[in-house]
């Protein structure tokens, strides 16, 4: 039921990001193709990405609560099995989520290049753009402070070419989102996702190595899982910050500004 609900919510949201199947007559929007409206260019990626995020949220909730019960010594008989289910689900879904996220990024680069520029903190169009591990974007000075970067990696990830071109924010003066919240939210999302990958794979391997005996698991691992109980929500909310703030200043991308609605 919630997945069906998400389908229609995300069809609408994705249309606002990548509008299709419409025409404007006397200042009013009219549908020319409902199939194009619903299955607009970003919908398949956003829907898959969100559903997988929900699966990961559930997986770490299961694993984290089970680990907490084991640490407290109050675990019911089902806790070790629930822990195994949570770890297995997370270990299977997170690598798929990373692949889908990469495809979603390529789609966003094609349709919303200024959102990508804000995510990566790229001010001037460049080839071989570095991946910024950390920086403090400055909207007024239109530059970054305290950059820690890996050369060429942003271009490699986004264009699959180390010398691929990424358009800079300077090409979208007045038509791009505020940079800092998009930049930091993206790093929170990706950082949490990579931590999910490491913890789920390590946890599943250690659990299997212990012949699925929960009492033989390192307490440090259990504490780590308990600490990540709500990590799915953190990553999901950060992802929605990227999506929604990254669409600004538009409510319908490229067509209708938020200020006009206000």
């Amino acid at each position: 039921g919630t997945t069906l609900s998400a389908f229609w919510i995300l069809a609408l949201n994705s249309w606002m990001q990548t509008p299709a199947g419409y025409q404007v007559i006397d200042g009013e929007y009219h549908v020319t193709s409902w199939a194009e409206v619903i299955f607009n260019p970003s919908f398949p990626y956003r829907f898959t990405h969100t559903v997988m995020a929900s699966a990961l949220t559930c997986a770490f909730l299961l694993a984290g609560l089970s680990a907490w019960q084991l640490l407290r010594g109050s675990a019911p008989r089902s806790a070790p099995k629930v822990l195994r289910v949570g770890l297995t689900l997370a270990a299977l879904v997170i690598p798929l989520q990373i692949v889908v996220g990469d495809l979603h990024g390529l789609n966003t680069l094609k349709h919303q290049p200024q959102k990508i520029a804000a995510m990566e903190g790229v001010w001037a169009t460049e080839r071989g753009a570095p991946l910024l591990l950390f920086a403090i974007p400055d909207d007024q000075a239109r530059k970054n402070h305290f950059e820690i970067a890996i050369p060429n990696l942003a271009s490699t990830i986004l264009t699959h070419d180390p010398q691929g071109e990424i358009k800079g924010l300077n090409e979208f003066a007045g038509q791009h989102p505020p940079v800092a919240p998009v930049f930091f939210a993206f790093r929170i999302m990706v950082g949490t996702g990579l931590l999910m990958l490491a913890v789920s794979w390590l946890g599943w391997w250690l659990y299997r190595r212990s012949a699925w005996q929960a009492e033989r698991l390192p307490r440090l691992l259990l504490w780590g899982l308990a600490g990540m109980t709500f990590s799915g929500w953190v990553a999901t909310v950060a992802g929605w910050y990227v999506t929604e703030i990254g669409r600004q200043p538009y409510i319908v991308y490229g067509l209708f500004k938020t200020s006009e609605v206000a």
Side-chain angles (χ1 to χ4, degrees):
T2 53
T3 302
L4 288 172
S5 175
F7 179 96
W8 293 110
I9 292 169
L10 290 164
L12 170 59
N13 183 273
S14 296
W15 186 87
M16 294 165 74
Q17 304 278 345
T18 52
Y22 70 93
Q23 63 178 342
V24 181
I25 302 173
D26 296 328
E28 295 183 347
Y29 289 85
H30 295 265
V31 172
T32 58
S33 169
W34 280 111
E36 290 181 17
V37 168
I38 296 168
F39 298 100
N40 58 80
S42 66
F43 170 73
Y45 304 98
R46 185 168 286 103
F47 176 68
T48 306
H49 201 45
T50 304
V51 170
M52 285 190 172
S54 298
L56 285 167
T57 300
C58 180
F60 275 91
L61 179 67
L62 293 174
L65 291 178
S66 301
W68 177 246
Q69 291 174 328
L70 290 165
L71 285 166
R72 293 185 63 191
S74 61
R77 290 171 57 190
S78 61
K81 293 181 180 179
V82 174
L83 177 60
R84 181 175 175 177
V85 169
L87 282 174
T88 302
L89 179 60
L92 289 173
V93 172
I94 188 62
L96 296 175
Q97 178 70 309
I98 291 172
V99 172
V100 171
D102 178 62
L103 295 173
H104 194 9
L106 296 175
N107 178 265
T108 304
L109 180 64
K110 179 180 178 180
H111 295 282
Q112 296 175 295
Q114 56 265 63
K115 181 187 290 188
I116 289 292
M119 288 160 57
E120 298 298 339
V122 177
W123 293 95
T125 299
E126 60 182 307
R127 291 186 176 275
L131 178 68
L132 299 178
L133 300 178
F134 179 81
I136 299 178
D138 186 335
D139 275 292
Q140 291 187 337
R142 304 194 71 75
K143 66 178 184 179
N144 301 319
H145 303 287
F146 309 110
E147 289 186 357
I148 301 173
I150 301 175
N152 300 339
L153 190 55
S155 287
T156 301
I157 293 171
L158 288 165
T159 68
H160 295 177
D161 177 1
Q163 294 302 317
E165 181 179 277
I166 298 179
K167 288 186 177 181
L169 292 159
N170 290 338
E171 293 199 24
F172 307 101
Q175 306 295 323
H176 67 74
V179 180
V182 178
F183 180 86
F184 287 116
F186 179 67
R187 275 145 189 79
I188 291 170
M189 179 187 70
V190 172
T192 304
L194 292 175
L195 187 60
M196 286 175 164
L197 177 68
V199 170
S200 63
W201 280 21
L202 176 64
W204 192 90
W205 179 74
L206 288 174
Y207 205 2
R208 184 175 181 274
R209 192 181 180 191
S210 68
W212 308 113
Q213 301 298 312
E215 62 275 8
R216 294 172 57 186
L217 286 173
R219 290 183 66 82
L220 184 60
L221 173 66
L222 294 176
W223 277 112
L225 289 169
M228 292 187 68
T229 300
F230 303 108
S231 57
W233 277 287
V234 172
T236 300
V237 171
W240 276 109
Y241 267 68
V242 173
T243 297
E244 298 300 84
I245 299 176
R247 182 180 59 200
Q248 301 307 311
Y250 296 104
I251 190 87
V252 178
Y253 178 77
L255 300 176
F256 201 37
K257 288 190 174 182
T258 307
S259 58
E260 294 176 288
V261 176

